[in-house]
Amino acid sequence: MRKLKSFALLTAMALAVTACSSSKQDVEQAPEQTLYSTGQTYLQDGDYSQAIRYLNAVSSRFPGSSYSEQVQLNLIYAYYKTQDYSETLVTIDRFIQRFPNSSHLDYALYMAGLTNSALGDNFFQDFFGVDRATRENTSIKTAFANFQNLVQHFPNSPYTPDALARMTYIKASLARHELAIAKFYFKRDAYVATANRVVSMLKLYPDTQATLDALPLMKASYEKMNLTHLADQTAKIIAANEGKKFDEPEKPKEPELKAPQ
């Protein structure tokens, strides 16, 4: 009985190795059209890992293919769906360099913004209710720049309305980050740094609740430094905005995506 089981196991392993070898051979030797069509089918079926495999085969084996632009667009989408954000950004950069005049540059910029936003997210911080605005925010700033480029260069793009909504959310998040830093400085009696931080907030994020909330810190910092004139000016700004509130924008939902054809 044991011999039968061992034989069955060896047979199954042999079949698996044969299947893998055959599958690899398909990718290595299949014609361009077959590779592309297979990759497209996997993409439509939501099997993104296999889609990436076949689309990369088209890209590497047929670099001058008529499918080259579409392959890169599909790879951007597939890498994003597998949450391989590093490869997503690499593919976006490659797409922009290879196809600077593409009619789908707006899509590339939009996906760059989404990808950098995703890099700035953290499931555990969401789960435990930690405000990501108080954490390192390089990726979020890059996402804002991506969306800003999209809005400026492609105002009529179908992706622009969502980009604008995401910019509003990011701006509020960045303002909260700056407020957290200003509070940190103030607690440590770093009044010059506190005031400068709030001045920067007024320039960059004037229409956010965090900036309004930061004004008393600036006033108190000027008072601590005996800068009466600046403290009085800040007091006037606070009075002029008394009772004013900015609604905190909700976090945008994951968009329904598909690669443009």
Side-chain angles (χ1 to χ4, degrees):
M1 187 65 177
R2 288 180 181 175
K3 288 183 178 180
L4 286 173
K5 286 184 177 179
S6 298
F7 178 75
L9 179 61
L10 288 170
T11 302
M13 290 175 65
L15 288 171
V17 171
T18 302
C20 288
S21 176
S22 175
S23 180
K24 183 178 180 181
Q25 192 176 48
D26 288 344
V27 175
E28 289 178 347
Q29 298 183 6
E32 176 186 358
Q33 178 64 52
T34 300
L35 289 174
Y36 179 75
S37 298
T38 304
Q40 286 289 89
T41 299
Y42 278 125
L43 193 70
Q44 293 169 5
D45 291 344
D47 190 342
Y48 302 116
S49 296
Q50 285 286 21
I52 288 169
R53 184 181 178 211
Y54 280 86
L55 292 170
N56 270 328
V58 177
S59 182
S60 60
R61 288 185 54 210
F62 306 98
S65 166
S66 59
Y67 298 118
S68 292
E69 182 176 350
Q70 189 61 52
V71 163
Q72 295 305 312
L73 290 169
N74 290 346
L75 282 171
I76 290 170
Y77 174 74
Y79 279 127
Y80 179 81
K81 295 298 286 186
T82 59
Q83 299 183 359
D84 190 343
Y85 299 131
S86 295
E87 279 299 325
T88 307
L89 292 175
V90 168
T91 309
I92 290 170
D93 286 341
R94 182 167 60 239
F95 177 83
I96 293 173
Q97 289 173 13
R98 289 181 61 183
F99 307 103
N101 299 315
S102 171
S103 60
H104 300 302
L105 284 178
D106 57 339
Y107 172 79
L109 287 172
Y110 180 63
M111 292 302 293
L114 290 180
T115 303
N116 280 304
S117 293
L119 283 170
D121 281 343
N122 183 294
F123 171 78
F124 291 105
Q125 290 179 11
D126 273 343
F127 185 80
F128 291 110
V130 176
D131 184 359
R132 282 188 304 278
T134 63
R135 306 297 172 137
E136 195 281 329
N137 62 0
T138 301
S139 295
I140 295 298
K141 286 183 177 179
T142 305
F144 187 88
N146 296 144
F147 290 133
Q148 191 171 46
N149 281 335
L150 169 61
V151 170
Q152 289 176 349
H153 293 97
F154 303 97
N156 298 319
S157 167
Y159 307 109
T160 293
D162 189 61
L164 286 168
R166 291 176 187 279
M167 287 174 67
T168 300
Y169 176 78
I170 292 173
K171 187 187 294 186
S173 177
L174 292 173
R176 292 198 306 275
H177 182 266
E178 293 301 303
L179 176 58
I181 294 174
K183 288 179 178 178
F184 175 85
Y185 286 146
F186 189 80
K187 287 180 179 178
R188 283 153 185 77
D189 303 330
Y191 302 123
V192 173
T194 303
N196 287 340
R197 210 81 193 191
V198 181
V199 168
S200 178
M201 291 175 69
L202 284 167
K203 292 179 180 178
L204 296 173
Y205 318 115
D207 52 349
T208 64
Q209 186 59 41
T211 298
L212 281 182
D213 295 342
L215 290 173
L217 287 176
M218 186 165 71
K219 176 176 176 292
S221 295
Y222 287 143
E223 290 172 344
K224 291 288 186 179
M225 293 185 288
N226 294 316
L227 298 174
T228 307
H229 178 65
L230 291 176
D232 289 344
Q233 284 186 330
T234 308
K236 290 178 181 178
I237 296 174
I238 293 172
N241 287 278
E242 187 175 358
K244 191 172 185 178
K245 289 285 183 182
F246 289 101
D247 293 332
E248 287 294 333
E250 294 184 4
K251 181 180 178 180
K253 297 179 181 179
E254 181 70 14
E256 295 183 6
L257 289 171
K258 63 179 181 179
Q261 301 295 316

